[in-house]
Every structure is written in C-alpha cells, then in structure tokens.
Amino acid sequence: MNTFNIATLAVEALLQEVDVWPKPGLVSPLDRGSHSDMNAGLLRRSAICLLPYFEQLVAAGAHGVGMSVLRRIGVAAEAAMLQVTDGVNTHRGAIFSLGLLCAAAGAAHATQGHGELGTIVRHRWGEAIGTPTTRQSTHGAEVWRRYGVGGARKEAAAGFPHLYEIAWPALKQGRRLAGGDEAAARVQALFALMAALEDTNLLHRGGAPGLLFARELAVQFIEQGGVGRGDWRERALRVHRL
C-alpha cells in the first residue's frame, strides 16, 4: 500500500476545495468570504502541511488501531496547522473527517475489504467517536450543548451519510447538468449539502435564523435548476454576497 498516494488525494481534495467559487461565505482565490483571518494562500499552506499526518493516519488504519491513536495523530496535525497559520483554525474539521477516511482507506487495504469508507469508519470507530464532553470548548461542542445538533462527530459516527447520500449524488448530477464542468459540479454538491445539513458553524456564527437563511437560499438555488442554468454563477454569487 502506498500511504503517500492516499494522503496526497486527501490534500488534493483540500486544495481543490479552496478553488471552488462562488462558495457562499467561504474563502476562494477571489475573496475571503466572511473570514477576515483567512485567504486562499493560507488555506493552501495549511493543506500542504497536513500531508505527513494523513500518511500516518492511513498507516494507523492499516494497523487496526483504536480511536485514541487516531486522535493523537489528529492533535499533532492540528498543532502543525496552527503553527503554519499563526493560530488560525483553517482545517480542524478536515483533519477530523478526512483523517478518519484516510484511516478507513488504510484499513480497507490491509483487510482487502470492499465497500464504502464511511461504513468502515462507523464499524471500527463510530462508538468511540461519540459526542463531545462538557469539557470540550470547540464551536461544534458548544453548538451541540446549546442546540442538540451533533455536527461532525455525529456525521462521522454514522458513516458520513450526507457524503454518500447527498454530496456524491449531487456532484454526479452537477456534472450532467453542466456538461462535465467539474467546477460547476462542486458548486452543485456544496449547495446540496447547504440545503440539508444542520451546519454547526452556521449555528455558531448566525444562530438558528442564520442556519435557516442559508438553507433556504440553497434550496432555492437547487430547485431553480442549480448549475444547469446558464446564469448559475451569477445566482450563486448573489448567495455568496448575501
């Protein structure tokens, strides 16, 4: 197994995410979105520094380790990220989610298993992922205590259902609607997720009204044809500015 190849795919996914535009509220090469402390260059440097940690997570998964070992690697990855970004949290959520998928890819290769990586995450580490404790002070943990929304932990423990049931079908649909335009397909997938997810970041930043506002805009974008309309960029940019 080439752990470098799998880890490289994880980093490439993060680099591709930076380039998606229009991306409501988020950083792209064209603007900072709603983030005054981030830009595209910072996100790229952050993504690249994570490569060796994704490699470690692939290898750890291949060796059948428990969640405590994966968590230690993740903590080291966060420390490296914060050093590169001068303390800005650029990819904590990605370290958690993509890190688990990297570990699952390692486990799948080691056991010559088949099936979705999300299923491997659920079976191997789902129970250990659990829910945040009262001592944790992340935005996601605070939102879980206030609103009862599980966020990334709940999603991972369940095997990333939104990834497989919403994002992946929407990406394929976007490719069909936009004639194979990969940039457009990624926007379609993002809006589909925005329309469905109880996003803990939105809840933290805008409360329940903010989440509802974003979801209604996303639903409207999808129902009006998504990236299948010739003016999709203008419509998506309007949502981004709002």
Side-chain angles (χ1 to χ4, degrees), residues 148-173:
V149 173
R153 286 176 174 272
K154 180 180 178 181
E155 183 74 7
F160 299 100
H162 284 83
L163 172 64
Y164 291 101
E165 297 169 15
I166 295 176
W168 177 230
L171 185 71
K172 292 187 288 186
Q173 180 193 42

mmCIF file of all heavy atoms in Angstrom, residues 148-173:
data_model
loop_
_atom_site.group_PDB
_atom_site.id
_atom_site.type_symbol
_atom_site.label_atom_id
_atom_site.label_comp_id
_atom_site.label_asym_id
_atom_site.label_seq_id
_atom_site.Cartn_x
_atom_site.Cartn_y
_atom_site.Cartn_z
ATOM 1 N N GLY A 148 -28.392 20.831 20.490
ATOM 2 C CA GLY A 148 -28.594 19.393 20.351
ATOM 3 C C GLY A 148 -28.263 18.875 18.971
ATOM 4 O O GLY A 148 -28.733 17.806 18.567
ATOM 5 N N VAL A 149 -27.447 19.618 18.232
ATOM 6 C CA VAL A 149 -27.049 19.218 16.877
ATOM 7 C C VAL A 149 -25.678 18.563 16.949
ATOM 8 O O VAL A 149 -24.729 19.143 17.480
ATOM 9 C CB VAL A 149 -27.019 20.442 15.939
ATOM 10 C CG1 VAL A 149 -26.453 20.060 14.583
ATOM 11 C CG2 VAL A 149 -28.430 21.005 15.791
ATOM 12 N N GLY A 150 -25.563 17.355 16.401
ATOM 13 C CA GLY A 150 -24.343 16.572 16.568
ATOM 14 C C GLY A 150 -23.162 17.008 15.732
ATOM 15 O O GLY A 150 -22.016 16.782 16.086
ATOM 16 N N GLY A 151 -23.402 17.620 14.580
ATOM 17 C CA GLY A 151 -22.317 18.124 13.759
ATOM 18 C C GLY A 151 -21.403 17.035 13.221
ATOM 19 O O GLY A 151 -21.835 15.925 12.910
ATOM 20 N N ALA A 152 -20.112 17.361 13.147
ATOM 21 C CA ALA A 152 -19.146 16.470 12.509
ATOM 22 C C ALA A 152 -19.019 15.136 13.244
ATOM 23 O O ALA A 152 -18.830 14.093 12.606
ATOM 24 C CB ALA A 152 -17.786 17.164 12.429
ATOM 25 N N ARG A 153 -19.096 15.158 14.548
ATOM 26 C CA ARG A 153 -18.978 13.906 15.305
ATOM 27 C C ARG A 153 -20.127 12.954 14.966
ATOM 28 O O ARG A 153 -19.906 11.761 14.720
ATOM 29 C CB ARG A 153 -18.975 14.203 16.810
ATOM 30 C CG ARG A 153 -17.696 14.803 17.317
ATOM 31 C CD ARG A 153 -17.807 15.152 18.794
ATOM 32 N NE ARG A 153 -16.526 15.593 19.306
ATOM 33 C CZ ARG A 153 -15.598 14.779 19.790
ATOM 34 N NH1 ARG A 153 -15.827 13.487 19.832
ATOM 35 N NH2 ARG A 153 -14.456 15.258 20.225
ATOM 36 N N LYS A 154 -21.336 13.482 14.985
ATOM 37 C CA LYS A 154 -22.495 12.641 14.678
ATOM 38 C C LYS A 154 -22.403 12.117 13.246
ATOM 39 O O LYS A 154 -22.712 10.947 12.977
ATOM 40 C CB LYS A 154 -23.774 13.450 14.873
ATOM 41 C CG LYS A 154 -25.051 12.677 14.578
ATOM 42 C CD LYS A 154 -26.268 13.565 14.806
ATOM 43 C CE LYS A 154 -27.563 12.821 14.467
ATOM 44 N NZ LYS A 154 -28.751 13.697 14.660
ATOM 45 N N GLU A 155 -21.992 12.984 12.336
ATOM 46 C CA GLU A 155 -21.874 12.599 10.931
ATOM 47 C C GLU A 155 -20.858 11.476 10.748
ATOM 48 O O GLU A 155 -21.100 10.495 10.044
ATOM 49 C CB GLU A 155 -21.468 13.826 10.096
ATOM 50 C CG GLU A 155 -21.372 13.576 8.613
ATOM 51 C CD GLU A 155 -22.717 13.440 7.915
ATOM 52 O OE1 GLU A 155 -23.761 13.669 8.556
ATOM 53 O OE2 GLU A 155 -22.708 13.086 6.723
ATOM 54 N N ALA A 156 -19.702 11.612 11.391
ATOM 55 C CA ALA A 156 -18.662 10.590 11.265
ATOM 56 C C ALA A 156 -19.097 9.277 11.908
ATOM 57 O O ALA A 156 -18.900 8.195 11.343
ATOM 58 C CB ALA A 156 -17.373 11.092 11.897
ATOM 59 N N ALA A 157 -19.676 9.357 13.102
ATOM 60 C CA ALA A 157 -20.098 8.143 13.804
ATOM 61 C C ALA A 157 -21.127 7.357 13.006
ATOM 62 O O ALA A 157 -21.203 6.132 13.090
ATOM 63 C CB ALA A 157 -20.666 8.506 15.173
ATOM 64 N N ALA A 158 -21.918 8.074 12.198
ATOM 65 C CA ALA A 158 -22.933 7.422 11.367
ATOM 66 C C ALA A 158 -22.386 6.966 10.018
ATOM 67 O O ALA A 158 -23.138 6.411 9.213
ATOM 68 C CB ALA A 158 -24.105 8.375 11.152
ATOM 69 N N GLY A 159 -21.099 7.214 9.757
ATOM 70 C CA GLY A 159 -20.511 6.777 8.495
ATOM 71 C C GLY A 159 -20.627 7.790 7.374
ATOM 72 O O GLY A 159 -20.630 7.429 6.204
ATOM 73 N N PHE A 160 -20.755 9.067 7.723
ATOM 74 C CA PHE A 160 -20.837 10.168 6.750
ATOM 75 C C PHE A 160 -22.003 10.011 5.770
ATOM 76 O O PHE A 160 -21.820 10.024 4.552
ATOM 77 C CB PHE A 160 -19.518 10.290 5.963
ATOM 78 C CG PHE A 160 -18.322 10.582 6.820
ATOM 79 C CD1 PHE A 160 -17.444 9.570 7.187
ATOM 80 C CD2 PHE A 160 -18.082 11.864 7.279
ATOM 81 C CE1 PHE A 160 -16.340 9.837 7.987
ATOM 82 C CE2 PHE A 160 -16.973 12.149 8.074
ATOM 83 C CZ PHE A 160 -16.102 11.127 8.435
ATOM 84 N N PRO A 161 -23.234 9.886 6.283
ATOM 85 C CA PRO A 161 -24.376 9.683 5.384
ATOM 86 C C PRO A 161 -24.600 10.837 4.409
ATOM 87 O O PRO A 161 -25.006 10.605 3.262
ATOM 88 C CB PRO A 161 -25.562 9.533 6.343
ATOM 89 C CG PRO A 161 -25.113 10.174 7.624
ATOM 90 C CD PRO A 161 -23.649 9.891 7.704
ATOM 91 N N HIS A 162 -24.342 12.075 4.825
ATOM 92 C CA HIS A 162 -24.544 13.196 3.909
ATOM 93 C C HIS A 162 -23.551 13.166 2.750
ATOM 94 O O HIS A 162 -23.862 13.634 1.651
ATOM 95 C CB HIS A 162 -24.437 14.532 4.652
ATOM 96 C CG HIS A 162 -25.643 14.866 5.472
ATOM 97 N ND1 HIS A 162 -25.829 14.357 6.737
ATOM 98 C CD2 HIS A 162 -26.721 15.636 5.204
ATOM 99 C CE1 HIS A 162 -26.976 14.808 7.217
ATOM 100 N NE2 HIS A 162 -27.547 15.578 6.311
ATOM 101 N N LEU A 163 -22.382 12.622 2.999
ATOM 102 C CA LEU A 163 -21.388 12.483 1.931
ATOM 103 C C LEU A 163 -21.889 11.540 0.846
ATOM 104 O O LEU A 163 -21.843 11.855 -0.352
ATOM 105 C CB LEU A 163 -20.071 11.974 2.510
ATOM 106 C CG LEU A 163 -18.973 11.582 1.517
ATOM 107 C CD1 LEU A 163 -18.516 12.782 0.713
ATOM 108 C CD2 LEU A 163 -17.802 10.960 2.257
ATOM 109 N N TYR A 164 -22.398 10.379 1.277
ATOM 110 C CA TYR A 164 -22.789 9.341 0.323
ATOM 111 C C TYR A 164 -24.197 9.540 -0.234
ATOM 112 O O TYR A 164 -24.452 9.198 -1.392
ATOM 113 C CB TYR A 164 -22.679 7.967 0.987
ATOM 114 C CG TYR A 164 -21.251 7.566 1.247
ATOM 115 C CD1 TYR A 164 -20.694 7.696 2.523
ATOM 116 C CD2 TYR A 164 -20.443 7.079 0.226
ATOM 117 C CE1 TYR A 164 -19.371 7.345 2.762
ATOM 118 C CE2 TYR A 164 -19.130 6.729 0.462
ATOM 119 C CZ TYR A 164 -18.600 6.862 1.730
ATOM 120 O OH TYR A 164 -17.288 6.529 1.959
ATOM 121 N N GLU A 165 -25.101 10.077 0.575
ATOM 122 C CA GLU A 165 -26.496 10.183 0.159
ATOM 123 C C GLU A 165 -26.838 11.519 -0.499
ATOM 124 O O GLU A 165 -27.824 11.608 -1.235
ATOM 125 C CB GLU A 165 -27.409 9.959 1.372
ATOM 126 C CG GLU A 165 -27.277 8.559 1.967
ATOM 127 C CD GLU A 165 -27.965 8.433 3.314
ATOM 128 O OE1 GLU A 165 -28.776 9.333 3.652
ATOM 129 O OE2 GLU A 165 -27.676 7.467 4.051
ATOM 130 N N ILE A 166 -26.030 12.543 -0.241
ATOM 131 C CA ILE A 166 -26.339 13.869 -0.784
ATOM 132 C C ILE A 166 -25.196 14.419 -1.636
ATOM 133 O O ILE A 166 -25.383 14.747 -2.813
ATOM 134 C CB ILE A 166 -26.683 14.855 0.355
ATOM 135 C CG1 ILE A 166 -27.982 14.404 1.041
ATOM 136 C CG2 ILE A 166 -26.819 16.288 -0.183
ATOM 137 C CD1 ILE A 166 -28.369 15.232 2.241
ATOM 138 N N ALA A 167 -24.004 14.542 -1.068
ATOM 139 C CA ALA A 167 -22.909 15.204 -1.786
ATOM 140 C C ALA A 167 -22.489 14.461 -3.045
ATOM 141 O O ALA A 167 -22.347 15.063 -4.119
ATOM 142 C CB ALA A 167 -21.712 15.378 -0.851
ATOM 143 N N TRP A 168 -22.277 13.162 -2.930
ATOM 144 C CA TRP A 168 -21.813 12.388 -4.084
ATOM 145 C C TRP A 168 -22.858 12.349 -5.206
ATOM 146 O O TRP A 168 -22.531 12.620 -6.373
ATOM 147 C CB TRP A 168 -21.411 10.987 -3.632
ATOM 148 C CG TRP A 168 -20.979 10.025 -4.686
ATOM 149 C CD1 TRP A 168 -21.439 8.749 -4.862
ATOM 150 C CD2 TRP A 168 -19.989 10.215 -5.708
ATOM 151 N NE1 TRP A 168 -20.804 8.145 -5.919
ATOM 152 C CE2 TRP A 168 -19.916 9.015 -6.466
ATOM 153 C CE3 TRP A 168 -19.167 11.282 -6.068
ATOM 154 C CZ2 TRP A 168 -19.063 8.863 -7.550
ATOM 155 C CZ3 TRP A 168 -18.303 11.123 -7.153
ATOM 156 C CH2 TRP A 168 -18.263 9.930 -7.880
ATOM 157 N N PRO A 169 -24.133 12.060 -4.912
ATOM 158 C CA PRO A 169 -25.144 12.145 -5.978
ATOM 159 C C PRO A 169 -25.246 13.538 -6.584
ATOM 160 O O PRO A 169 -25.432 13.686 -7.800
ATOM 161 C CB PRO A 169 -26.443 11.748 -5.267
ATOM 162 C CG PRO A 169 -26.006 10.908 -4.119
ATOM 163 C CD PRO A 169 -24.711 11.518 -3.665
ATOM 164 N N ALA A 170 -25.132 14.587 -5.750
ATOM 165 C CA ALA A 170 -25.228 15.954 -6.264
ATOM 166 C C ALA A 170 -24.035 16.288 -7.153
ATOM 167 O O ALA A 170 -24.175 17.016 -8.149
ATOM 168 C CB ALA A 170 -25.313 16.948 -5.108
ATOM 169 N N LEU A 171 -22.861 15.781 -6.812
ATOM 170 C CA LEU A 171 -21.681 16.007 -7.660
ATOM 171 C C LEU A 171 -21.892 15.377 -9.034
ATOM 172 O O LEU A 171 -21.619 16.010 -10.070
ATOM 173 C CB LEU A 171 -20.439 15.414 -6.991
ATOM 174 C CG LEU A 171 -19.113 15.669 -7.698
ATOM 175 C CD1 LEU A 171 -18.700 17.132 -7.568
ATOM 176 C CD2 LEU A 171 -18.011 14.761 -7.133
ATOM 177 N N LYS A 172 -22.394 14.159 -9.051
ATOM 178 C CA LYS A 172 -22.650 13.497 -10.340
ATOM 179 C C LYS A 172 -23.749 14.211 -11.112
ATOM 180 O O LYS A 172 -23.660 14.362 -12.346
ATOM 181 C CB LYS A 172 -23.016 12.022 -10.095
ATOM 182 C CG LYS A 172 -21.850 11.191 -9.572
ATOM 183 C CD LYS A 172 -22.170 9.715 -9.501
ATOM 184 C CE LYS A 172 -23.133 9.395 -8.388
ATOM 185 N NZ LYS A 172 -23.339 7.924 -8.232
ATOM 186 N N GLN A 173 -24.776 14.660 -10.402
ATOM 187 C CA GLN A 173 -25.837 15.417 -11.065
ATOM 188 C C GLN A 173 -25.292 16.717 -11.648
ATOM 189 O O GLN A 173 -25.639 17.108 -12.771
ATOM 190 C CB GLN A 173 -26.955 15.731 -10.069
ATOM 191 C CG GLN A 173 -28.102 16.534 -10.682
ATOM 192 C CD GLN A 173 -29.041 17.093 -9.620
ATOM 193 O OE1 GLN A 173 -28.588 17.592 -8.578
ATOM 194 N NE2 GLN A 173 -30.330 17.000 -9.868
#
